Amino acid sequence: MEPIAYIQRLTRMYERLGYPAYEWVRSAGPPPFTPLTKPLSECRLGLVASGGIYAAGQVAFHYKDDTSIRGIPREAPMESLRTAHFAYDQADARADPNCVFPLGTLRGLVAEGVIGELTTHAHTFMGGIYSARRVREEVAPALVERLRDERADIALLVPV
Amino acid sequence: MGLAARQAEEAGIPTLCLSSALDITRSVNPPRAAFLDFPLGHTAGKAHEPGLQRAIMLEALEAFSSLREPGQVKLLPFRWDKDDSWKRAMDRLDTRLPRFDTPQYQFDEDRALAEAAREGSCPVCGIAEE
């Protein structure tokens, strides 16, 4: 079976609800591209995820254009991780955060020597921000600054 | 997420976006992507299946070296179930929650912990006030 046509589904749903049509980001032309110049086993990887992950002790996300970012320490126990997100069924992610925030999976691959190391924090936000401008001008630059500050060689981005 | 990936690549950091929505990913057109045809909420695998999560991650990370042209998407060779019945079931589901504008804690204890840790902080964004 073909992958689900989410854009068509959501467009129809919004029509039924009487909402104005959502304008999906459409990027024309090829994206910027930086080739990887060393093996993964020598790379410092920065994990970025938009599943609404926070650690116990941090402020949870709210559901209305929350553009804030949480830094999750790379050694954070998986049991300390929580989710707050309006747009997906969080049951499995709450039972095992690796579903949407593969910090434990990545730690395992570092221990195996597949990946060099992780940046000191993973960086999380909620996504579902309706304004592409705010993502482009606020969230994305803040994430890139965090990746640079923590000297990430590569970044793995995990949306929901 | 694709917008952040584009900006990271402009800053010289190679990126890989995981995806479970192929049409949205193709529309945003990130520099490199790996598509896993699983239900939303499982971008990196199924709960409590560390072996599968590891296999998915290894296949995905391989895209850092195998995708050499900007905007390519690697299709990962995993299926959620044998007959894709989850896709038919999804047509009846809309799990979206109202757009609450206050922090939505998973547990009440989290609220108490966060409030204790962030005394004098903005209750919405958690950023300490000057």
Side-chain angles (χ1 to χ4, degrees), chain B residues 92-108:
Chain B
R92 299 186 295 273
L93 282 182
D94 179 18
T95 58
R96 296 188 159 227
L97 301 170
R99 292 284 203 148
F100 303 114
D101 60 2
T102 55
Q104 299 296 305
Y105 291 93
Q106 182 174 334
F107 298 117
D108 286 342

Side-chain angles (χ1 to χ4, degrees), chain A residues 1-10 13-14 17 24-36 40 45 48-50 54 56-66 68 70 81-90 92-96 98-102 105-106 109 112 114-115 125-130 132 135-137 140-141 143-144 147-148 152-160, chain B residues 1-24 27-32 35 37-50 53-54 57-58 60-62 64-65 67-71 79-80 83-84 86-88 90-107 110 113-115 117-118 122-127:
Chain A
M1 218 173 146
E2 291 296 301
I4 290 178
Y6 284 103
I7 292 178
Q8 189 186 59
R9 273 173 57 95
L10 288 168
M13 185 174 89
Y14 289 162
L17 294 169
W24 294 91
V25 171
R26 286 187 192 281
S27 309
F33 192 78
T34 304
L36 184 60
L40 264 185
L45 182 148
V48 175
S50 70
Y54 68 98
Q58 295 180 329
V59 174
F61 294 95
H62 61 79
Y63 295 172
K64 202 170 164 116
D65 290 340
D66 190 336
S68 63
R70 307 284 175 274
L81 302 177
R82 310 281 186 261
T83 74
H85 203 292
F86 74 100
Y88 71 97
D89 181 345
Q90 298 166 85
D92 283 352
R94 288 179 167 179
D96 178 3
N98 281 305
C99 290
V100 293
F101 184 63
T105 311
L106 291 170
L109 294 178
E112 285 184 49
V114 174
I115 300 166
F125 61 110
M126 200 198 63
I129 299 158
Y130 270 8
V135 175
R136 198 176 276 117
E137 294 176 8
L143 290 169
V144 172
L147 289 168
R148 295 180 77 156
D153 296 312
I154 56 175
L156 177 70
L157 294 87
V158 185
V160 164
Chain B
M1 200 57 110
L3 295 173
R6 287 173 158 250
Q7 290 187 20
E9 300 266 351
E10 275 168 6
I13 301 172
T15 64
L16 174 67
C17 288
L18 301 190
S19 162
S20 45
L22 187 59
D23 59 337
I24 295 174
S27 177
V28 178
N29 195 16
R32 273 179 216 81
F35 170 66
D37 200 3
F38 278 17
L40 296 186
H42 308 86
T43 326
K46 293 187 181 185
H48 302 306
E49 293 198 23
Q53 292 165 357
R54 176 182 176 277
M57 188 58 69
L58 284 174
L61 291 174
E62 192 271 337
F64 268 116
S65 48
L67 301 186
R68 294 175 179 278
E69 300 291 325
R79 296 184 78 171
W80 178 262
D83 58 359
D84 278 345
W86 69 272
K87 292 181 184 174
R88 286 179 281 273
M90 246 202 63
D91 284 337
R92 299 186 295 273
L93 282 182
D94 179 18
T95 58
R96 296 188 159 227
L97 301 170
R99 292 284 203 148
F100 303 114
D101 60 2
T102 55
Q104 299 296 305
Y105 291 93
Q106 182 174 334
F107 298 117
D110 294 352
L113 277 174
E115 283 171 3
R118 307 269 176 161
C122 166
V124 172
C125 63
I127 294 168

